[in-house]
Amino acid sequence: MTELLTKASGSGSANEREKRNLDTAYRAACECIVLLKNDEILPLEAGKTALYGAGALRTIKGGTGSGEVNERHSVSIYEGLKNRGFEITTKPWLFAYEKKYRKGEEEFKRETRKKLLKHPGSMMENLLASYPGTAADPVTDRDIKRSDTDTCIYVLSRQAGEGRDRRALPGDLFVTEEEKEAIRVCAESYKKFVLIINCGSQIDLSFMDDMEGIGAVLFICQLGTQGGNAAADVLLGKVSPSGKLADTWAKAYSDIPFSDEFSYLNGNLNDEFYKEGIYVGYRYFDSFSIDPRYPFGYGLSYTDFEINAGEVRAEGSLVSVRVQVKNIGDTYAGKEVVQLYVSAPAGELDKEYQSLAAFAKTGKLLPGEMEEFTLSFDMADIGNFRERDASYILEPGDYILRIGNSSRNTRSCGVISVGTEIILSRHHHICQEWQVFEELKAPARQAEDFAEGEADGRQMNETAEEVTRIQMPEDAFRTITYTYQTPEICKDARVREFIKKLSVSDMVEIVVGIGMFGGETRFTLPGSVGNTTSKFWDMGLANVALCDGPAGLRIQKRSAVTKEGKVKMIDAALSVFNMMPGLVKKTVMGDPHKDKVIYQYTTAFPVSGALAQSFNTELLYEVGKAVYEEMKEYGCTFWLAPAVNIHRNPLCGRNFEYYSEDPFLTGEMAAAITRGVQQEEGYYVTVKHFACNNQEDNRNRVSSNVSERALREIYLKGFQRAVRAGAKGIMTSYNRLNGVYTPNSYDLCTMVLRNEWGFDGVVMTDWFSTNKGLGDNALAMKAGNDLIMPGGNYFKKEILKGLKDGRIQVNDIRRCCANVVKAIFDSQIQKEYLDSDFELF
Ligand code: BGC
């Protein structure tokens, strides 16, 4: 038996890093909370409080599936309130619900176990099963009397996760009759009633329309390990809420374009037509004059701010606006988010009313305090893609700059005039539509719509006449003409030398992971979901571990090491392991009483949907840095995050893992976290899922059918910004895009990623996406997927088959292999274990 190389430790006590990261998680959680409504109810004073709702004790810290983090402990709302001095007066109600929950969970486990026994092959299918929770109980007059207080908090929660979209049904997108009744009773019976929404995405709030007495609404999303403490501090006013919505909340779900066609709803799970085109989220609501319930970028504070735009300048194509923000309240300190939107002129191309071009968050401003900063953006980044000649262009006319604190509360502060059409870049077409469908077009707009102020009734258009007007010089831009070719094999001398020594089948070993279950690794990171091979360890190539995110580093917190050196999990990494029939469970789960126990505690941060609400790139950098520290501590090389798919519809089961409906906000968040994680060479992010993985039902087969313009302007932008920030890993997605499996898409993996964006890292497949009947392994290599994950024998054979029948050439494999070897050579694991005594030449 070889010595077990692992960085997991024999001590389970919290170290300094863990304490520091808990603090980061707490600060992040505070900034992610959005105050949607407040009729002078909040902040509360710590005192007697009634607490109800499924999320009170069972607060959901993050969604399920690969995006779930196995932290030491998460603080529920109940616990957080108690920690901060509240006296909870509804314990009988809460504990009765807890009893019901546990019973429901046991029943669910029994049922799943039965299914697994009956159909052992359904393991994969059930892999992502987790108990969805149970319907909340009613709140009776007796509960209210017994609670002995005039203050009440109701926590409405929803769980969702990988593999399944949410349902447009009561109990999921909608409240159940029981929940509605319970909320109504609370709202009527208590003087101060606060509704807390604990869901990774939206809940249809139409039920509130005919309900009196909901004094305050907090959207906490899913806040990770410190959620309860952060929510309590916001309720108490210790922290003023400063989160802003990263999505538009419609008045009713049906207001969302083509809402009845999303995913399973129209009965067609094979094809999803992105008929709304570029009109996603606020781009739709603003362009079609539909009032949302809460607009994109919206969120209240306990104090008020005055935002004033100062000087507007342009240097080359860089536009900047000086901004002053003042806390004009007299009691509370707070932070404000300033957002800069641009309305592009009407022209040949149909345009959205406005799009976010820059934003910034102030520091904590005391009453009367002011902060000044500059918001800037590059005009070259806000062009529109014209399909007829595959170019990004700026059409001539006035680009109106709007500044404010939500997409529906802005003032124009400048006009940038473009005299003639500017061609920003010339491209080749990509991912051509294979099925023709009609895309939504916004109603024709007149130039005056933008200038006349409130002319369209949307109260967003203040006159643009008295603001600074800048004529953009034509020479501010340089047209980029992209050239397209298959990239050269990595030129790094170490890599070239190493590759030379490999046979074709050696190279195939390197470009295919070792499989998810039972693969041998030399360096072992318990709970990693993938590993590269360790077969070439003695030749000087380490194996590296890949671990999930994005809400933190998802690994095993406790593992058992058997006498034979086998590492097994102790706490079920996915809930299905808890439900497995005895014998199976015994083979995968270790016994902490018999075997040696090793530990790896990591931090559950707020989910990405919550983090985006902070609108705070420095904070995201810090979260990325915290993740990096954990990667370093446990030896993870590729973190399988951030995830940057777009919130196209609130029903997508993985919205909690994604940031926003807006590609710019998404990209900025991903870029900041990328910088944090990759601050030291050899630790990599893996930006996923490339691209258009915006639904979970039938995710392995559905074709996302989307126009090239919407693809480029909406769905690829987030990836592009992360790549610009230096991202070294990309994960292709499960779905097909316009009929082609994304790992097989040369257009995506090579033309866009490498030729246009200059990406020089590793592209990998999503887990099993090239399994039998799905993507093609050989073509995936040809397209530019360097690593097939999680791998195993089937995948290697398929690549070799492709070589034999001429679908690919040896150089395709060599190119991919070189990219993987380069990333491993640069990794810290390589340096730690091999580089010192490893001589190549
Ligand atoms: C998910 C990925 C994840 C991978 C490994 C897949 O099911 O789609 O996001 O990184 O599993 O766990």
Side-chain angles (χ1 to χ4, degrees):
M1 190 183 89
T2 43
E3 174 207 0
L4 176 71
L5 283 186
T6 180
K7 296 179 95 180
S9 84
S11 156
S13 53
N15 61 15
E16 285 310 306
R17 186 274 308 152
E18 193 177 339
K19 288 180 202 155
R20 219 173 30 249
N21 288 2
L22 276 184
D23 180 57
T24 305
Y26 164 75
R27 284 182 296 110
C30 289
E31 292 221 12
C32 298
I33 296 174
V34 182
L35 177 60
L36 295 173
K37 175 179 175 180
N38 188 15
D39 295 339
E40 292 180 19
I41 295 278
L42 295 178
L44 300 174
E45 272 170 27
K48 285 186 177 176
T49 304
L51 178 66
Y52 302 100
L57 276 173
R58 292 277 176 176
T59 309
I60 296 175
K61 62 127 201 299
T64 59
S66 64
E68 188 173 352
V69 174
N70 307 311
E71 79 290 1
R72 191 186 283 271
H73 170 70
S74 269
V75 181
S76 66
I77 299 283
Y78 171 79
E79 197 185 337
L81 291 174
K82 278 196 21 184
N83 288 346
R84 298 311 198 240
F86 283 89
E87 186 190 330
I88 309 300
T89 58
T90 48
K91 285 184 193 153
W93 189 98
L94 292 170
F95 296 148
Y97 173 76
E98 176 64 15
K99 220 164 131 191
K100 192 171 153 192
Y101 183 99
R102 288 192 187 164
K103 214 169 134 208
E105 193 178 33
E106 274 315 309
E107 179 60 21
F108 181 78
K109 278 189 203 166
R110 262 197 306 277
E111 285 303 310
T112 312
R113 202 171 295 145
K114 258 197 239 157
K115 265 194 248 166
L116 287 167
L117 274 174
K118 225 171 159 182
H119 311 284
S122 69
M123 172 70 190
M124 277 313 284
E125 207 177 288
N126 282 294
L127 198 63
L128 300 167
S130 71
Y131 181 54
T134 178
D137 288 340
V139 175
T140 62
D141 285 347
R142 186 157 163 261
D143 294 316
I144 291 163
K145 257 197 217 116
R146 278 213 297 201
S147 72
D148 182 30
T149 171
D150 65 356
T151 305
C152 172
I153 299 167
Y154 189 98
V155 189
L156 183 62
S157 69
R158 291 290 185 270
Q159 185 54 294
E162 192 177 351
R164 187 168 193 267
D165 285 317
R166 296 178 61 202
R167 294 297 183 252
L169 291 172
D172 201 342
L173 180 67
F174 303 102
V175 289
T176 61
E177 278 308 313
E178 293 75 28
E179 281 171 331
K180 184 172 172 185
E181 187 52 19
I183 293 170
R184 191 189 59 74
V185 167
C186 291
E188 276 174 7
S189 315
Y190 294 93
K191 216 166 106 203
K192 296 180 183 176
F193 175 63
V194 184
L195 177 67
I196 293 187
I197 302 169
N198 171 213
C199 171
S201 183
Q202 301 180 32
I203 292 181
D204 186 308
L205 297 181
S206 320
F207 72 90
M208 282 175 35
D209 291 341
D210 52 8
M211 213 181 261
E212 300 275 307
I214 301 184
V217 182
L218 273 186
F219 177 46
I220 64 164
C221 195
Q222 294 169 337
L223 291 174
T225 157
Q226 289 296 300
N229 287 338
D233 284 343
V234 164
L235 287 167
L236 277 176
K238 215 176 124 195
V239 175
S240 274
S242 65
K244 305 279 176 179
L245 289 180
D247 292 327
T248 307
W249 283 47
K251 283 205 166 129
Y253 173 69
S254 51
D255 285 346
I256 294 169
F258 309 105
S259 52
D260 53 349
E261 295 186 22
F262 179 73
S263 180
Y264 75 97
L265 283 171
N266 63 355
N268 176 6
L269 279 172
N270 292 324
D271 280 297
E272 180 77 7
F273 294 99
Y274 287 37
K275 292 184 187 167
E276 70 286 356
I278 58 165
Y279 298 104
V280 177
Y282 69 88
R283 284 169 167 75
Y284 171 76
F285 283 80
D286 294 352
S287 309
F288 289 77
S289 305
I290 295 170
D291 281 335
R293 179 174 299 278
Y294 300 116
F296 174 85
Y298 166 86
L300 302 170
S301 167
Y302 294 151
T303 187
D304 291 311
F305 298 94
E306 191 178 85
I307 300 176
N308 280 310
E311 193 189 6
V312 179
R313 296 179 54 176
E315 273 173 57
S317 57
L318 203 69
V319 174
S320 59
V321 181
R322 203 71 196 139
V323 182
Q324 269 187 355
V325 186
K326 187 172 177 189
N327 179 347
I328 53 168
D330 50 21
T331 314
Y332 296 99
K335 295 181 173 188
E336 179 61 304
V337 174
V338 183
Q339 303 154 40
L340 174 61
Y341 297 85
V342 180
S343 295
E348 179 190 339
L349 299 182
D350 201 41
K351 306 247 175 59
E352 64 273 76
Y353 172 78
Q354 60 182 354
S355 58
L356 185 68
F359 61 86
K361 192 168 196 171
T362 65
K364 185 154 115 189
L365 298 180
L366 299 173
E369 208 178 343
M370 190 169 76
E371 189 177 319
E372 229 184 297
F373 50 84
T374 302
L375 285 180
S376 54
F377 70 95
D378 195 328
M379 286 291 286
D381 283 339
I382 64 157
N384 298 100
F385 189 77
R386 184 165 62 192
E387 293 185 0
R388 80 172 155 77
D389 61 352
S391 318
Y392 261 107
I393 59 166
L394 284 172
E395 293 205 71
D398 286 350
Y399 289 75
I400 300 176
L401 311 182
R402 305 175 186 286
I403 210 133
N405 65 355
S406 87
S407 62
R408 291 289 172 121
N409 184 27
T410 63
R411 247 181 309 161
S412 42
C413 63
V415 174
I416 307 293
S417 266
V418 172
T420 54
E421 179 182 295
I422 308 283
I423 306 231
L424 297 165
S425 48
R426 295 183 199 281
H427 304 247
H428 276 189
H429 284 297
I430 51 154
C431 307
Q432 288 303 280
E433 283 164 72
W434 71 307
Q435 297 198 44
V436 179
F437 61 94
E438 206 171 314
E439 259 191 344
L440 196 60
K441 297 261 176 288
R445 278 180 343 218
Q446 304 302 320
E448 309 90 78
D449 283 348
F450 287 147
E452 279 296 306
E454 304 192 8
D456 60 0
R458 281 177 279 171
Q459 312 214 330
M460 297 181 288
N461 299 321
E462 291 218 351
T463 176
E465 267 156 34
E466 279 150 34
V467 296
T468 316
R469 186 170 265 280
I470 295 176
Q471 187 69 39
M472 253 293 120
E474 262 173 61
D475 63 5
F477 302 95
R478 187 178 57 87
T479 306
I480 303 171
T481 303
Y482 289 105
T483 51
Y484 297 86
Q485 69 241 336
T486 300
E488 283 183 33
I489 293 171
C490 168
K491 284 210 184 92
D492 186 299
R494 297 167 306 160
V495 175
R496 289 240 164 163
E497 273 307 309
F498 185 79
I499 298 267
K500 253 199 231 161
K501 297 182 214 153
L502 303 177
S503 67
V504 173
S505 54
D506 286 346
M507 288 194 287
V508 172
E509 292 286 343
I510 292 172
V511 297
V512 176
I514 62 161
M516 207 157 165
F517 310 104
E520 289 284 313
T521 53
R522 185 75 186 89
F523 170 71
T524 302
L525 197 174
S528 54
V529 277
N531 278 276
T532 56
T533 180
S534 46
K535 283 192 178 154
F536 304 95
W537 189 276
D538 294 334
M539 277 175 70
L541 185 75
N543 69 293
V544 296
L546 299 88
C547 305
D548 264 317
L553 187 66
R554 173 188 165 74
I555 52 181
Q556 253 159 240
K557 52 185 177 186
R558 298 186 306 158
S559 313
V561 186
T562 65
K563 281 192 208 72
E564 299 75 41
K566 264 205 167 346
V567 182
K568 294 184 174 185
M569 67 182 98
I570 293 174
D571 314 281
L574 290 166
S575 19
V576 73
F577 291 115
N578 270 329
M579 306 168 203
M580 282 186 311
L583 192 69
V584 191
K585 197 164 167 180
K586 224 172 150 189
T587 46
V588 289
M589 307 280 289
D591 181 349
H593 306 295
K594 235 171 73 198
D595 302 321
K596 182 183 153 196
V597 181
I598 51 175
Y599 301 87
Q600 302 174 123
Y601 282 105
T602 61
T603 315
F605 294 95
V607 298
S608 304
L611 286 176
Q613 296 179 164
S614 74
F615 275 71
N616 186 340
T617 49
E618 280 163 35
L619 180 76
L620 272 276
Y621 176 85
E622 271 191 67
V623 171
K625 180 168 176 252
V627 170
Y628 148 76
E629 286 175 2
E630 297 182 4
M631 291 169 74
K632 193 174 171 75
E633 190 171 317
Y634 299 121
C636 167
T637 298
F638 281 95
W639 183 48
L640 305 175
V644 300
N645 298 96
I646 291 292
H647 291 175
R648 182 174 167 247
N649 183 295
L651 292 180
C652 170
R654 292 184 90 170
N655 272 357
F656 72 98
E657 292 187 62
Y658 307 146
Y659 293 106
S660 166
E661 67 186 21
D662 180 70
F664 176 71
L665 178 62
T666 296
E668 287 296 280
M669 294 289 122
I673 218 157
T674 294
R675 288 191 194 99
V677 169
Q678 294 192 168
Q679 62 187 270
E680 185 180 349
E681 190 187 45
Y683 294 99
Y684 311 124
V685 296
T686 311
V687 192
K688 66 190 187 184
H689 309 90
F690 193 55
C692 291
N693 185 177
N694 302 302
Q695 81 178 52
E696 285 302 295
D697 279 26
N698 201 30
R699 62 180 176 165
N700 286 103
R701 291 192 163 78
V702 67
S703 175
S704 302
N705 301 314
V706 56
S707 72
E708 185 173 2
R709 176 172 176 203
L711 175 64
R712 286 185 180 272
E713 287 188 22
I714 307 289
Y715 297 100
L716 298 185
K717 275 272 158 78
F719 292 95
Q720 183 175 12
R721 295 196 91 83
V723 169
R724 245 194 235 174
K728 289 288 182 199
I730 295 279
M731 186 192 291
T732 47
S733 56
Y734 281 132
N735 54 287
R736 294 176 292 145
L737 202 170
N738 290 336
V740 176
Y741 274 111
T742 61
N744 294 159
S745 170
Y746 183 85
D747 293 18
L748 280 183
C749 302
T750 295
M751 288 170 64
V752 171
L753 253 186
R754 304 218 185 245
N755 297 151
E756 292 185 13
W757 300 349
F759 177 73
D760 67 350
V762 169
V763 183
M764 68 183 76
T765 64
D766 198 349
W767 271 228
F768 302 106
S769 68
T770 50
N771 224 345
K772 213 171 184 159
L774 304 174
D776 178 305
N777 288 279
L779 292 185
M781 300 261 101
K782 185 143 204 109
N785 259 277
D786 306 304
L787 192 54
I788 306 286
M789 291 307 291
N793 286 337
Y794 165 77
F795 304 90
K796 294 183 221 162
K797 277 191 208 142
E798 286 296 305
I799 293 175
L800 289 170
K801 243 198 241 167
L803 198 60
K804 228 176 175 176
D805 65 25
R807 268 175 297 152
I808 47 167
Q809 283 68 48
V810 175
N811 254 2
D812 295 318
I813 300 172
R814 193 169 283 129
R815 183 175 312 104
C816 297
C817 181
N819 289 338
V820 175
V821 169
K822 164 87 166 71
I824 298 178
F825 275 179
D826 290 343
S827 74
Q828 289 301 320
I829 282 293
Q830 171 82 21
K831 295 195 171 106
E832 229 161 280
Y833 290 107
L834 290 171
D835 268 2
S836 48
D837 56 342
F838 162 50
E839 291 207 358
L840 268 169
F841 305 106

